[in-house]
Amino acid sequence: MEYAIETFNLKKYFGDIHAVDGIDLKIPKGYLYGVLGPNGAGKTTTIRMLSTILYPTDGEATVLGFNLRKEASEIRKRIGVCPQELVIYPRLTARENIHLIAQMHGIIKKDYKERTDDLLGRMNLLDRADSLSKTYSGGMKRRLNVLMAVIHEPELIFFDEPTAGLDPQSRRVVWDFIKEFQERDSTIILTTHNMEEADDLSDELLIFDYGKIIAKGTPSELKGKLGEGDIIEFKISNPEKRDEVIELATKLDFVRWGKSVGKRRILLNALDGLRRISDIMDVVKVEMKDLSVRENTLEDVFIDLTGRRLRD
Ligand code: ATP
């Protein structure tokens, strides 16, 4: 198998902060890897190292077959990076912004003119393509930011939270856009805090926590590890009852496991959860506040691994 990215014990320390603390990765060409993890877990630092913006503290990596430390300029030509922060020039139009980047990549005018219109159309930006980008809405700026990462048709694209702060409609436009690259066999690394996005788009997922990769697999493999059954989530008023409630509930034969998140929140995994809630209530004898029942999500996978929520 050909790998777009291989890392061997890759590390980045900032003084005492172990932002990335030894990661070993093998990302096959043509795959979309979703990267999940709480704030500060090391996702952006990893992307910045792999896209040659930051020099690693230790460890080795190859990107598209090139050595990260010795062949950074070869890597740079072949990758696209859509960073979390906007990198558009507010006093230029969308079209001018994209042309500028295309020229920086040495693409000939005839090629980039056609590509620019095609890209602007796919992101619903064509009708405003000649207005200054400082007049755009937040969502339009973000969509332009995404386009600027791909004008040179990179083999490997890093999208760092490309849909952060977008409304559902714009989010869907960006998802469809990313899916098109997936179909063209580009390799994509996508960091996100959106579980639906991670679940829907990723071929494989990496979950980061404290600078390490704590889980990897397809979304269904990861969710499958939690077993069958529904997640029943609720809060209790008295935190002192928390462990007792979990103990009583997990004695029921249809409750597979119970976990606490913080002092008051409890998660139970139960077969046929929706219909069995009243049976659980009879046994635990506490009021269940903010009660919800759902299928396993990637958030539950993270809770299972760490006892915390992805966004606390
Ligand atoms: P988020 O989801 O908030 O984007 P993240 O997983 O991308 O988080 P990073 O931005 O990689 O996390 O940060 C990892 C850790 O490294 C954090 O503790 C952060 O404060 C620290 N860090 C990142 N860049 C620097 C820097 N230039 N100098 C010092 N510390 C840094």
PDB file of all heavy atoms in Angstrom, residues 88-120:
ATOM      1  N   ILE A  88      -7.322  35.238   3.711  1.00  0.00           N
ATOM      2  CA  ILE A  88      -7.699  35.968   2.495  1.00  0.00           C
ATOM      3  C   ILE A  88      -7.307  37.445   2.634  1.00  0.00           C
ATOM      4  O   ILE A  88      -7.185  37.964   3.745  1.00  0.00           O
ATOM      5  CB  ILE A  88      -9.205  35.830   2.202  1.00  0.00           C
ATOM      6  CG1 ILE A  88     -10.043  36.338   3.367  1.00  0.00           C
ATOM      7  CG2 ILE A  88      -9.561  34.401   1.903  1.00  0.00           C
ATOM      8  CD1 ILE A  88     -11.529  36.225   3.121  1.00  0.00           C
ATOM      9  N   TYR A  89      -7.098  38.081   1.496  1.00  0.00           N
ATOM     10  CA  TYR A  89      -6.743  39.508   1.485  1.00  0.00           C
ATOM     11  C   TYR A  89      -8.028  40.312   1.351  1.00  0.00           C
ATOM     12  O   TYR A  89      -8.692  40.250   0.314  1.00  0.00           O
ATOM     13  CB  TYR A  89      -5.782  39.814   0.333  1.00  0.00           C
ATOM     14  CG  TYR A  89      -4.490  39.043   0.464  1.00  0.00           C
ATOM     15  CD1 TYR A  89      -4.314  37.831  -0.203  1.00  0.00           C
ATOM     16  CD2 TYR A  89      -3.477  39.499   1.297  1.00  0.00           C
ATOM     17  CE1 TYR A  89      -3.146  37.107  -0.053  1.00  0.00           C
ATOM     18  CE2 TYR A  89      -2.303  38.771   1.448  1.00  0.00           C
ATOM     19  CZ  TYR A  89      -2.151  37.578   0.772  1.00  0.00           C
ATOM     20  OH  TYR A  89      -0.997  36.846   0.927  1.00  0.00           O
ATOM     21  N   PRO A  90      -8.386  41.088   2.377  1.00  0.00           N
ATOM     22  CA  PRO A  90      -9.698  41.748   2.386  1.00  0.00           C
ATOM     23  C   PRO A  90      -9.873  42.790   1.282  1.00  0.00           C
ATOM     24  O   PRO A  90     -10.980  43.035   0.832  1.00  0.00           O
ATOM     25  CB  PRO A  90      -9.762  42.410   3.765  1.00  0.00           C
ATOM     26  CG  PRO A  90      -8.375  42.386   4.321  1.00  0.00           C
ATOM     27  CD  PRO A  90      -7.630  41.304   3.626  1.00  0.00           C
ATOM     28  N   ARG A  91      -8.741  43.376   0.810  1.00  0.00           N
ATOM     29  CA  ARG A  91      -8.855  44.422  -0.213  1.00  0.00           C
ATOM     30  C   ARG A  91      -8.812  43.866  -1.630  1.00  0.00           C
ATOM     31  O   ARG A  91      -8.720  44.623  -2.592  1.00  0.00           O
ATOM     32  CB  ARG A  91      -7.747  45.462  -0.029  1.00  0.00           C
ATOM     33  CG  ARG A  91      -7.953  46.271   1.222  1.00  0.00           C
ATOM     34  CD  ARG A  91      -6.794  47.212   1.446  1.00  0.00           C
ATOM     35  NE  ARG A  91      -6.935  47.866   2.720  1.00  0.00           N
ATOM     36  CZ  ARG A  91      -7.763  48.877   2.943  1.00  0.00           C
ATOM     37  NH1 ARG A  91      -8.514  49.359   1.975  1.00  0.00           N
ATOM     38  NH2 ARG A  91      -7.857  49.406   4.144  1.00  0.00           N
ATOM     39  N   LEU A  92      -8.838  42.546  -1.742  1.00  0.00           N
ATOM     40  CA  LEU A  92      -8.927  41.931  -3.071  1.00  0.00           C
ATOM     41  C   LEU A  92     -10.275  41.233  -3.202  1.00  0.00           C
ATOM     42  O   LEU A  92     -10.893  40.860  -2.199  1.00  0.00           O
ATOM     43  CB  LEU A  92      -7.819  40.882  -3.264  1.00  0.00           C
ATOM     44  CG  LEU A  92      -6.363  41.370  -3.234  1.00  0.00           C
ATOM     45  CD1 LEU A  92      -5.427  40.198  -3.501  1.00  0.00           C
ATOM     46  CD2 LEU A  92      -6.134  42.473  -4.256  1.00  0.00           C
ATOM     47  N   THR A  93     -10.728  41.051  -4.435  1.00  0.00           N
ATOM     48  CA  THR A  93     -11.974  40.305  -4.662  1.00  0.00           C
ATOM     49  C   THR A  93     -11.673  38.818  -4.502  1.00  0.00           C
ATOM     50  O   THR A  93     -10.496  38.416  -4.437  1.00  0.00           O
ATOM     51  CB  THR A  93     -12.491  40.538  -6.097  1.00  0.00           C
ATOM     52  OG1 THR A  93     -11.549  39.951  -7.005  1.00  0.00           O
ATOM     53  CG2 THR A  93     -12.664  42.012  -6.397  1.00  0.00           C
ATOM     54  N   ALA A  94     -12.724  37.994  -4.505  1.00  0.00           N
ATOM     55  CA  ALA A  94     -12.521  36.545  -4.401  1.00  0.00           C
ATOM     56  C   ALA A  94     -11.680  36.068  -5.576  1.00  0.00           C
ATOM     57  O   ALA A  94     -10.719  35.300  -5.408  1.00  0.00           O
ATOM     58  CB  ALA A  94     -13.870  35.829  -4.412  1.00  0.00           C
ATOM     59  N   ARG A  95     -12.034  36.566  -6.760  1.00  0.00           N
ATOM     60  CA  ARG A  95     -11.311  36.124  -7.964  1.00  0.00           C
ATOM     61  C   ARG A  95      -9.825  36.513  -7.867  1.00  0.00           C
ATOM     62  O   ARG A  95      -8.942  35.693  -8.135  1.00  0.00           O
ATOM     63  CB  ARG A  95     -11.966  36.753  -9.184  1.00  0.00           C
ATOM     64  CG  ARG A  95     -11.527  36.122 -10.453  1.00  0.00           C
ATOM     65  CD  ARG A  95     -12.302  36.596 -11.653  1.00  0.00           C
ATOM     66  NE  ARG A  95     -13.329  35.645 -12.036  1.00  0.00           N
ATOM     67  CZ  ARG A  95     -14.621  35.913 -12.133  1.00  0.00           C
ATOM     68  NH1 ARG A  95     -15.066  37.095 -11.859  1.00  0.00           N
ATOM     69  NH2 ARG A  95     -15.475  34.976 -12.505  1.00  0.00           N
ATOM     70  N   GLU A  96      -9.569  37.747  -7.418  1.00  0.00           N
ATOM     71  CA  GLU A  96      -8.172  38.200  -7.308  1.00  0.00           C
ATOM     72  C   GLU A  96      -7.405  37.414  -6.244  1.00  0.00           C
ATOM     73  O   GLU A  96      -6.233  37.098  -6.417  1.00  0.00           O
ATOM     74  CB  GLU A  96      -8.136  39.702  -6.964  1.00  0.00           C
ATOM     75  CG  GLU A  96      -8.563  40.588  -8.118  1.00  0.00           C
ATOM     76  CD  GLU A  96      -8.860  42.030  -7.669  1.00  0.00           C
ATOM     77  OE1 GLU A  96      -9.026  42.280  -6.459  1.00  0.00           O
ATOM     78  OE2 GLU A  96      -8.942  42.887  -8.552  1.00  0.00           O
ATOM     79  N   ASN A  97      -8.085  37.120  -5.150  1.00  0.00           N
ATOM     80  CA  ASN A  97      -7.452  36.321  -4.093  1.00  0.00           C
ATOM     81  C   ASN A  97      -6.979  34.980  -4.650  1.00  0.00           C
ATOM     82  O   ASN A  97      -5.846  34.559  -4.415  1.00  0.00           O
ATOM     83  CB  ASN A  97      -8.450  36.055  -2.965  1.00  0.00           C
ATOM     84  CG  ASN A  97      -8.310  37.024  -1.804  1.00  0.00           C
ATOM     85  OD1 ASN A  97      -7.331  36.999  -1.077  1.00  0.00           O
ATOM     86  ND2 ASN A  97      -9.306  37.875  -1.629  1.00  0.00           N
ATOM     87  N   ILE A  98      -7.860  34.332  -5.398  1.00  0.00           N
ATOM     88  CA  ILE A  98      -7.512  32.996  -5.916  1.00  0.00           C
ATOM     89  C   ILE A  98      -6.418  33.114  -6.987  1.00  0.00           C
ATOM     90  O   ILE A  98      -5.460  32.329  -6.999  1.00  0.00           O
ATOM     91  CB  ILE A  98      -8.757  32.280  -6.481  1.00  0.00           C
ATOM     92  CG1 ILE A  98      -9.814  32.143  -5.385  1.00  0.00           C
ATOM     93  CG2 ILE A  98      -8.395  30.893  -7.001  1.00  0.00           C
ATOM     94  CD1 ILE A  98     -11.126  31.555  -5.854  1.00  0.00           C
ATOM     95  N   HIS A  99      -6.540  34.114  -7.846  1.00  0.00           N
ATOM     96  CA  HIS A  99      -5.520  34.296  -8.890  1.00  0.00           C
ATOM     97  C   HIS A  99      -4.143  34.515  -8.277  1.00  0.00           C
ATOM     98  O   HIS A  99      -3.140  33.986  -8.767  1.00  0.00           O
ATOM     99  CB  HIS A  99      -5.885  35.485  -9.797  1.00  0.00           C
ATOM    100  CG  HIS A  99      -7.023  35.175 -10.722  1.00  0.00           C
ATOM    101  ND1 HIS A  99      -7.573  36.092 -11.580  1.00  0.00           N
ATOM    102  CD2 HIS A  99      -7.718  34.037 -10.923  1.00  0.00           C
ATOM    103  CE1 HIS A  99      -8.555  35.524 -12.265  1.00  0.00           C
ATOM    104  NE2 HIS A  99      -8.669  34.279 -11.874  1.00  0.00           N
ATOM    105  N   LEU A 100      -4.114  35.279  -7.200  1.00  0.00           N
ATOM    106  CA  LEU A 100      -2.835  35.564  -6.550  1.00  0.00           C
ATOM    107  C   LEU A 100      -2.155  34.271  -6.084  1.00  0.00           C
ATOM    108  O   LEU A 100      -0.964  34.046  -6.314  1.00  0.00           O
ATOM    109  CB  LEU A 100      -3.078  36.502  -5.364  1.00  0.00           C
ATOM    110  CG  LEU A 100      -1.856  37.004  -4.638  1.00  0.00           C
ATOM    111  CD1 LEU A 100      -1.074  37.958  -5.530  1.00  0.00           C
ATOM    112  CD2 LEU A 100      -2.257  37.729  -3.349  1.00  0.00           C
ATOM    113  N   ILE A 101      -2.959  33.431  -5.448  1.00  0.00           N
ATOM    114  CA  ILE A 101      -2.407  32.152  -4.955  1.00  0.00           C
ATOM    115  C   ILE A 101      -1.967  31.289  -6.146  1.00  0.00           C
ATOM    116  O   ILE A 101      -0.910  30.651  -6.117  1.00  0.00           O
ATOM    117  CB  ILE A 101      -3.460  31.385  -4.112  1.00  0.00           C
ATOM    118  CG1 ILE A 101      -3.910  32.213  -2.915  1.00  0.00           C
ATOM    119  CG2 ILE A 101      -2.928  30.028  -3.659  1.00  0.00           C
ATOM    120  CD1 ILE A 101      -2.896  32.357  -1.818  1.00  0.00           C
ATOM    121  N   ALA A 102      -2.775  31.296  -7.211  1.00  0.00           N
ATOM    122  CA  ALA A 102      -2.443  30.488  -8.399  1.00  0.00           C
ATOM    123  C   ALA A 102      -1.108  30.943  -8.985  1.00  0.00           C
ATOM    124  O   ALA A 102      -0.264  30.116  -9.344  1.00  0.00           O
ATOM    125  CB  ALA A 102      -3.559  30.628  -9.427  1.00  0.00           C
ATOM    126  N   GLN A 103      -0.924  32.258  -9.033  1.00  0.00           N
ATOM    127  CA  GLN A 103       0.338  32.788  -9.579  1.00  0.00           C
ATOM    128  C   GLN A 103       1.513  32.375  -8.697  1.00  0.00           C
ATOM    129  O   GLN A 103       2.578  32.019  -9.186  1.00  0.00           O
ATOM    130  CB  GLN A 103       0.271  34.313  -9.684  1.00  0.00           C
ATOM    131  CG  GLN A 103      -0.607  34.776 -10.835  1.00  0.00           C
ATOM    132  CD  GLN A 103      -1.130  36.201 -10.641  1.00  0.00           C
ATOM    133  OE1 GLN A 103      -0.768  36.896  -9.703  1.00  0.00           O
ATOM    134  NE2 GLN A 103      -2.005  36.626 -11.544  1.00  0.00           N
ATOM    135  N   MET A 104       1.283  32.401  -7.382  1.00  0.00           N
ATOM    136  CA  MET A 104       2.345  31.984  -6.467  1.00  0.00           C
ATOM    137  C   MET A 104       2.750  30.528  -6.713  1.00  0.00           C
ATOM    138  O   MET A 104       3.892  30.143  -6.511  1.00  0.00           O
ATOM    139  CB  MET A 104       1.891  32.148  -5.010  1.00  0.00           C
ATOM    140  CG  MET A 104       2.130  33.563  -4.490  1.00  0.00           C
ATOM    141  SD  MET A 104       1.188  33.999  -3.016  1.00  0.00           S
ATOM    142  CE  MET A 104       1.395  32.603  -1.963  1.00  0.00           C
ATOM    143  N   HIS A 105       1.775  29.730  -7.154  1.00  0.00           N
ATOM    144  CA  HIS A 105       2.081  28.315  -7.440  1.00  0.00           C
ATOM    145  C   HIS A 105       2.588  28.125  -8.871  1.00  0.00           C
ATOM    146  O   HIS A 105       2.822  26.990  -9.295  1.00  0.00           O
ATOM    147  CB  HIS A 105       0.820  27.455  -7.230  1.00  0.00           C
ATOM    148  CG  HIS A 105       0.513  27.198  -5.783  1.00  0.00           C
ATOM    149  ND1 HIS A 105       1.315  26.416  -4.980  1.00  0.00           N
ATOM    150  CD2 HIS A 105      -0.489  27.631  -4.993  1.00  0.00           C
ATOM    151  CE1 HIS A 105       0.801  26.370  -3.765  1.00  0.00           C
ATOM    152  NE2 HIS A 105      -0.291  27.115  -3.734  1.00  0.00           N
ATOM    153  N   GLY A 106       2.688  29.194  -9.627  1.00  0.00           N
ATOM    154  CA  GLY A 106       3.231  29.107 -10.986  1.00  0.00           C
ATOM    155  C   GLY A 106       2.279  28.470 -11.996  1.00  0.00           C
ATOM    156  O   GLY A 106       2.727  27.899 -13.005  1.00  0.00           O
ATOM    157  N   ILE A 107       0.977  28.580 -11.751  1.00  0.00           N
ATOM    158  CA  ILE A 107       0.011  28.000 -12.710  1.00  0.00           C
ATOM    159  C   ILE A 107      -0.198  29.014 -13.844  1.00  0.00           C
ATOM    160  O   ILE A 107      -0.277  30.225 -13.598  1.00  0.00           O
ATOM    161  CB  ILE A 107      -1.341  27.723 -12.013  1.00  0.00           C
ATOM    162  CG1 ILE A 107      -1.125  26.854 -10.770  1.00  0.00           C
ATOM    163  CG2 ILE A 107      -2.325  27.057 -12.955  1.00  0.00           C
ATOM    164  CD1 ILE A 107      -2.341  26.756  -9.886  1.00  0.00           C
ATOM    165  N   ILE A 108      -0.314  28.517 -15.086  1.00  0.00           N
ATOM    166  CA  ILE A 108      -0.459  29.472 -16.199  1.00  0.00           C
ATOM    167  C   ILE A 108      -1.875  30.046 -16.215  1.00  0.00           C
ATOM    168  O   ILE A 108      -2.844  29.405 -15.783  1.00  0.00           O
ATOM    169  CB  ILE A 108      -0.094  28.848 -17.574  1.00  0.00           C
ATOM    170  CG1 ILE A 108      -0.968  27.624 -17.876  1.00  0.00           C
ATOM    171  CG2 ILE A 108       1.385  28.509 -17.650  1.00  0.00           C
ATOM    172  CD1 ILE A 108      -0.877  27.186 -19.316  1.00  0.00           C
ATOM    173  N   LYS A 109      -1.965  31.288 -16.734  1.00  0.00           N
ATOM    174  CA  LYS A 109      -3.197  32.077 -16.647  1.00  0.00           C
ATOM    175  C   LYS A 109      -4.428  31.341 -17.202  1.00  0.00           C
ATOM    176  O   LYS A 109      -5.496  31.325 -16.588  1.00  0.00           O
ATOM    177  CB  LYS A 109      -2.986  33.386 -17.397  1.00  0.00           C
ATOM    178  CG  LYS A 109      -3.969  34.459 -17.039  1.00  0.00           C
ATOM    179  CD  LYS A 109      -3.475  35.777 -17.599  1.00  0.00           C
ATOM    180  CE  LYS A 109      -4.367  36.908 -17.158  1.00  0.00           C
ATOM    181  NZ  LYS A 109      -3.881  38.193 -17.629  1.00  0.00           N
ATOM    182  N   LYS A 110      -4.257  30.737 -18.378  1.00  0.00           N
ATOM    183  CA  LYS A 110      -5.390  30.065 -19.026  1.00  0.00           C
ATOM    184  C   LYS A 110      -5.985  28.992 -18.091  1.00  0.00           C
ATOM    185  O   LYS A 110      -7.188  28.881 -17.936  1.00  0.00           O
ATOM    186  CB  LYS A 110      -4.896  29.423 -20.319  1.00  0.00           C
ATOM    187  CG  LYS A 110      -5.968  28.736 -21.118  1.00  0.00           C
ATOM    188  CD  LYS A 110      -5.376  28.165 -22.397  1.00  0.00           C
ATOM    189  CE  LYS A 110      -6.066  26.903 -22.840  1.00  0.00           C
ATOM    190  NZ  LYS A 110      -5.964  25.765 -21.964  1.00  0.00           N
ATOM    191  N   ASP A 111      -5.094  28.245 -17.431  1.00  0.00           N
ATOM    192  CA  ASP A 111      -5.545  27.174 -16.528  1.00  0.00           C
ATOM    193  C   ASP A 111      -6.235  27.739 -15.290  1.00  0.00           C
ATOM    194  O   ASP A 111      -7.312  27.296 -14.903  1.00  0.00           O
ATOM    195  CB  ASP A 111      -4.353  26.328 -16.067  1.00  0.00           C
ATOM    196  CG  ASP A 111      -3.907  25.386 -17.164  1.00  0.00           C
ATOM    197  OD1 ASP A 111      -4.642  25.283 -18.161  1.00  0.00           O
ATOM    198  OD2 ASP A 111      -2.825  24.785 -17.018  1.00  0.00           O
ATOM    199  N   TYR A 112      -5.591  28.744 -14.681  1.00  0.00           N
ATOM    200  CA  TYR A 112      -6.179  29.168 -13.406  1.00  0.00           C
ATOM    201  C   TYR A 112      -7.462  29.954 -13.591  1.00  0.00           C
ATOM    202  O   TYR A 112      -8.322  29.958 -12.724  1.00  0.00           O
ATOM    203  CB  TYR A 112      -5.149  29.834 -12.482  1.00  0.00           C
ATOM    204  CG  TYR A 112      -4.633  31.216 -12.794  1.00  0.00           C
ATOM    205  CD1 TYR A 112      -5.474  32.319 -12.794  1.00  0.00           C
ATOM    206  CD2 TYR A 112      -3.281  31.422 -12.996  1.00  0.00           C
ATOM    207  CE1 TYR A 112      -4.971  33.593 -13.032  1.00  0.00           C
ATOM    208  CE2 TYR A 112      -2.766  32.693 -13.236  1.00  0.00           C
ATOM    209  CZ  TYR A 112      -3.625  33.784 -13.260  1.00  0.00           C
ATOM    210  OH  TYR A 112      -3.136  35.033 -13.479  1.00  0.00           O
ATOM    211  N   LYS A 113      -7.640  30.600 -14.748  1.00  0.00           N
ATOM    212  CA  LYS A 113      -8.893  31.344 -14.966  1.00  0.00           C
ATOM    213  C   LYS A 113     -10.075  30.383 -15.003  1.00  0.00           C
ATOM    214  O   LYS A 113     -11.101  30.599 -14.381  1.00  0.00           O
ATOM    215  CB  LYS A 113      -8.813  32.130 -16.268  1.00  0.00           C
ATOM    216  CG  LYS A 113      -8.008  33.403 -16.102  1.00  0.00           C
ATOM    217  CD  LYS A 113      -8.288  34.380 -17.197  1.00  0.00           C
ATOM    218  CE  LYS A 113      -8.257  35.766 -16.643  1.00  0.00           C
ATOM    219  NZ  LYS A 113      -8.553  36.787 -17.624  1.00  0.00           N
ATOM    220  N   GLU A 114      -9.904  29.301 -15.755  1.00  0.00           N
ATOM    221  CA  GLU A 114     -10.978  28.296 -15.845  1.00  0.00           C
ATOM    222  C   GLU A 114     -11.253  27.664 -14.485  1.00  0.00           C
ATOM    223  O   GLU A 114     -12.382  27.551 -14.045  1.00  0.00           O
ATOM    224  CB  GLU A 114     -10.555  27.174 -16.795  1.00  0.00           C
ATOM    225  CG  GLU A 114     -11.029  27.381 -18.212  1.00  0.00           C
ATOM    226  CD  GLU A 114     -10.452  26.327 -19.137  1.00  0.00           C
ATOM    227  OE1 GLU A 114     -10.371  25.156 -18.710  1.00  0.00           O
ATOM    228  OE2 GLU A 114     -10.076  26.691 -20.267  1.00  0.00           O
ATOM    229  N   ARG A 115     -10.170  27.271 -13.834  1.00  0.00           N
ATOM    230  CA  ARG A 115     -10.319  26.601 -12.526  1.00  0.00           C
ATOM    231  C   ARG A 115     -10.977  27.515 -11.503  1.00  0.00           C
ATOM    232  O   ARG A 115     -11.797  27.067 -10.702  1.00  0.00           O
ATOM    233  CB  ARG A 115      -8.938  26.201 -11.991  1.00  0.00           C
ATOM    234  CG  ARG A 115      -8.515  24.839 -12.441  1.00  0.00           C
ATOM    235  CD  ARG A 115      -7.264  24.446 -11.694  1.00  0.00           C
ATOM    236  NE  ARG A 115      -6.254  23.966 -12.601  1.00  0.00           N
ATOM    237  CZ  ARG A 115      -4.975  23.818 -12.295  1.00  0.00           C
ATOM    238  NH1 ARG A 115      -4.531  24.155 -11.105  1.00  0.00           N
ATOM    239  NH2 ARG A 115      -4.119  23.350 -13.165  1.00  0.00           N
ATOM    240  N   THR A 116     -10.624  28.789 -11.535  1.00  0.00           N
ATOM    241  CA  THR A 116     -11.170  29.727 -10.553  1.00  0.00           C
ATOM    242  C   THR A 116     -12.692  29.800 -10.687  1.00  0.00           C
ATOM    243  O   THR A 116     -13.421  29.714  -9.686  1.00  0.00           O
ATOM    244  CB  THR A 116     -10.560  31.133 -10.759  1.00  0.00           C
ATOM    245  OG1 THR A 116      -9.157  31.027 -10.634  1.00  0.00           O
ATOM    246  CG2 THR A 116     -11.092  32.118  -9.734  1.00  0.00           C
ATOM    247  N   ASP A 117     -13.174  29.918 -11.901  1.00  0.00           N
ATOM    248  CA  ASP A 117     -14.625  30.027 -12.085  1.00  0.00           C
ATOM    249  C   ASP A 117     -15.334  28.740 -11.679  1.00  0.00           C
ATOM    250  O   ASP A 117     -16.402  28.772 -11.071  1.00  0.00           O
ATOM    251  CB  ASP A 117     -14.950  30.381 -13.543  1.00  0.00           C
ATOM    252  CG  ASP A 117     -14.848  31.884 -13.751  1.00  0.00           C
ATOM    253  OD1 ASP A 117     -14.014  32.495 -13.053  1.00  0.00           O
ATOM    254  OD2 ASP A 117     -15.605  32.431 -14.565  1.00  0.00           O
ATOM    255  N   ASP A 118     -14.701  27.634 -12.012  1.00  0.00           N
ATOM    256  CA  ASP A 118     -15.282  26.350 -11.627  1.00  0.00           C
ATOM    257  C   ASP A 118     -15.380  26.256 -10.091  1.00  0.00           C
ATOM    258  O   ASP A 118     -16.434  25.923  -9.541  1.00  0.00           O
ATOM    259  CB  ASP A 118     -14.401  25.226 -12.186  1.00  0.00           C
ATOM    260  CG  ASP A 118     -14.787  23.874 -11.640  1.00  0.00           C
ATOM    261  OD1 ASP A 118     -15.987  23.561 -11.698  1.00  0.00           O
ATOM    262  OD2 ASP A 118     -13.902  23.144 -11.123  1.00  0.00           O
ATOM    263  N   LEU A 119     -14.295  26.623  -9.400  1.00  0.00           N
ATOM    264  CA  LEU A 119     -14.272  26.539  -7.925  1.00  0.00           C
ATOM    265  C   LEU A 119     -15.275  27.512  -7.302  1.00  0.00           C
ATOM    266  O   LEU A 119     -16.032  27.149  -6.389  1.00  0.00           O
ATOM    267  CB  LEU A 119     -12.869  26.845  -7.395  1.00  0.00           C
ATOM    268  CG  LEU A 119     -11.792  25.791  -7.654  1.00  0.00           C
ATOM    269  CD1 LEU A 119     -10.425  26.316  -7.243  1.00  0.00           C
ATOM    270  CD2 LEU A 119     -12.096  24.518  -6.882  1.00  0.00           C
ATOM    271  N   LEU A 120     -15.297  28.748  -7.814  1.00  0.00           N
ATOM    272  CA  LEU A 120     -16.224  29.749  -7.259  1.00  0.00           C
ATOM    273  C   LEU A 120     -17.670  29.277  -7.418  1.00  0.00           C
ATOM    274  O   LEU A 120     -18.496  29.439  -6.519  1.00  0.00           O
ATOM    275  CB  LEU A 120     -16.028  31.099  -7.947  1.00  0.00           C
ATOM    276  CG  LEU A 120     -14.738  31.849  -7.580  1.00  0.00           C
ATOM    277  CD1 LEU A 120     -14.478  32.983  -8.565  1.00  0.00           C
ATOM    278  CD2 LEU A 120     -14.831  32.398  -6.160  1.00  0.00           C
TER     279      LEU A 120
END
